[in-house]
Structure formats: C-alpha cells, structure tokens
C-alpha cells in the first residue's frame, strides 16, 4: 500500500509539473506579445516585469513539485537498494544539448562573478534586461520544456501562438498605414512613428 501511495504521489507530482510548464509556455506566447501598460513609454520595462513574474511563479512551483518528485523517487529507490546506482547513472540522463546548456549557465555565472559591474550585470542594462538572471532563466526553461512539455498540446500551442502573432502583425500593418485603433501613437511625435510598431515596441524587433 505504501509503495502504491509513493507511486501515486510521484505520478501526480509529475502531472502537475507538466501542467505548470505547459501552462507557462502557453501563457507566455499568448499574453507577452499583446499586453502593454503605458503605450511605448515603458514597453520594455513592462514586458520584462511580466516575464519575470511569470518565471518566478514557474520557478517556485517547479521547486516545490520537483522536491516532492525527488524525495518520493529517492525513497522508492532507497527501499529496494538501488539509490546509489541511480545516482551513478544520473549523468547518462543528459543529452549533449543539455550539457551545452549547463556549460553556458556555468559560463554566465563565472562571467557574473568576475564582472566589475555585478549590480548592472544581475538584471542587465535598463530597458533590455538580458543580464545574468535572464540568461539562467533561459537555461532553466530549456531544461523544463524539453522534459515536461505536454506534446499533445502542440496544436493548441500553434493556435495560441498563431492567433497572438496574427493580432500583433495585423496591428503592425495598420500602423504602417497610420491606422491606430489602440491609440498607441497618442502623444508621440511624428518622428518616432517609423521606430515603433503595434504592441511589441521597436520596429527592429520584427526583423
């Protein structure tokens, strides 16, 4: 009975992990391109804050669920005397791409530690925010999505990403014809019209 309960706990935790990671990806592609706060005046700051909050929620959920999965799995293997063998076999669970991703994370940490501007390097230059935390989050997302993405959601993901991008690009086309249904250009000088588009921001981000 205890073995069955441990198996159920690991299975439920794994399913929760898959739902959390897949829900995060769908939410990211659905809302990040479309949402904005004060038109083009804080576009980068707002979108990064949204990404940061979603990612911290994901990291907290993954941390809790991952701990439950790890403890339940280690207990199960320990009871049958296979824990040491499982630990020794762990490196074999990583593919070459995983090792490159982990190597990149290590290089990012080394770069941050050796930086003379650690305060700026932590989050990155204001308005871009591609600092240490962002780079490490990309590695974490790769490791999570590559393992816990629900493959049956592929069509749903394509629909979500397709609709979101279609709306974004439709607004971009309208903006090029000076049609501004969301009043994004309100209060903006004519000189800047060519530089900004739709709910994404800089026109160069479409390149």
């Amino acid at each position: 009975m205890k073995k069955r309960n441990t198996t159920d706990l690991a299975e439920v935790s794994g399913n929760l992990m898959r739902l959390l990671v897949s829900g995060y990806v769908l939410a990211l592609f659905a809302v990040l391109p479309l949402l904005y706060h004060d038109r083009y005046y804080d576009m980068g700051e707002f979108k990064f804050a949204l990404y940061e909050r979603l990612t911290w929620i994901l990291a907290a959920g993954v941390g809790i669920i991952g701990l439950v999965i790890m403890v339940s799995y280690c207990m199960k293997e320990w009871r049958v005397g296979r824990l040491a063998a499982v630990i020794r076999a762990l490196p074999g669970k990583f593919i070459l791409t995983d090792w490159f991703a982990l190597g990149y994370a290590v290089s990012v940490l080394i770069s941050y530690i050796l930086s003379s501007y650690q305060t700026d390097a932590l989050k990155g230059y204001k308005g871009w925010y591609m600092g240490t935390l962002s780079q490490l989050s990309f590695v974490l997302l790769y490791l999570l999505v590559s393992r816990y993405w629900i493959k049956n959601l592929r069509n749903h993901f394509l629909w979500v990403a397709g609709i979101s991008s279609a709306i974004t690009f439709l607004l971009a086309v309208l903006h090029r014809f000076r049609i501004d249904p969301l009043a994004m250009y309100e209060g903006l000088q004519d000189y800047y019209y060519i530089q900004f588009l739709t709910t994404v921001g800089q026109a160069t981000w479409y390149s």
Side-chain angles (χ1 to χ4, degrees):
M1 186 67 180
K2 289 183 179 179
K3 183 178 179 181
R4 178 62 181 170
N5 288 339
T6 303
T7 303
D8 288 344
L9 180 62
E11 184 178 349
V12 170
S13 299
N15 289 334
L16 286 174
M17 186 79 87
R18 282 185 280 274
L19 286 173
L20 182 62
V21 171
S22 300
Y24 169 88
V25 173
L26 290 172
L28 202 64
F29 277 83
V31 303
L32 195 62
L34 295 175
L35 291 186
Y36 62 94
H37 175 247
D38 188 20
R39 299 189 290 274
Y40 297 122
Y41 297 102
D42 66 347
M43 188 71 75
E45 286 81 0
F46 176 76
K47 287 186 182 292
F48 174 75
L50 179 61
Y51 169 79
E52 187 179 39
R53 288 168 188 167
L54 287 174
T55 304
W56 276 117
I57 292 171
L58 174 70
V62 164
I64 295 170
I65 299 171
L67 183 62
V68 172
I69 293 175
M70 183 179 67
V71 171
S72 62
Y73 181 74
C74 288
M75 287 177 62
K76 183 182 72 171
E77 297 300 325
W78 177 73
R79 287 194 184 101
V80 296
R82 295 186 307 193
L83 183 58
V86 168
I87 294 174
R88 285 195 300 269
L90 188 60
K93 300 291 184 181
F94 291 87
I95 63 174
L96 184 61
T97 309
D98 297 339
W99 288 113
F100 274 110
L102 292 173
Y104 175 70
V106 171
S107 69
V108 168
L109 286 173
I110 293 173
S111 177
Y112 172 72
I113 292 170
L114 298 178
S115 174
S116 301
Y117 307 94
Q118 290 186 348
T119 301
D120 294 328
L122 186 62
K123 281 194 174 183
Y125 189 75
K126 186 177 180 181
W128 294 98
Y129 301 110
M130 289 291 105
T132 303
L133 292 178
S134 292
Q135 302 308 311
L136 293 179
S137 74
F138 301 152
V139 174
L140 174 65
L141 291 178
Y142 158 73
L143 293 172
L144 291 174
V145 173
S146 64
R147 285 159 173 77
Y148 293 104
W149 168 254
I150 300 175
K151 295 180 180 179
N152 291 339
L153 289 178
R154 179 176 178 273
N155 289 336
H156 295 81
F157 167 75
L158 292 176
W159 274 104
V160 168
I163 292 173
S164 179
S165 62
I167 294 172
T168 303
F169 280 97
L170 175 61
L171 289 170
V173 172
L174 292 176
H175 276 173
R176 279 294 175 250
F177 287 95
R178 295 295 182 94
I179 301 172
D180 188 16
L182 299 179
M184 298 292 290
Y185 289 147
E186 187 175 303
L188 200 66
Q189 296 180 6
D190 290 352
Y191 170 79
Y192 293 106
Y193 282 15
I194 195 67
Q195 299 182 31
F196 297 101
L197 279 174
T198 187
T199 55
V200 171
Q202 285 188 218
T204 53
W205 292 350
Y206 289 85
S207 303

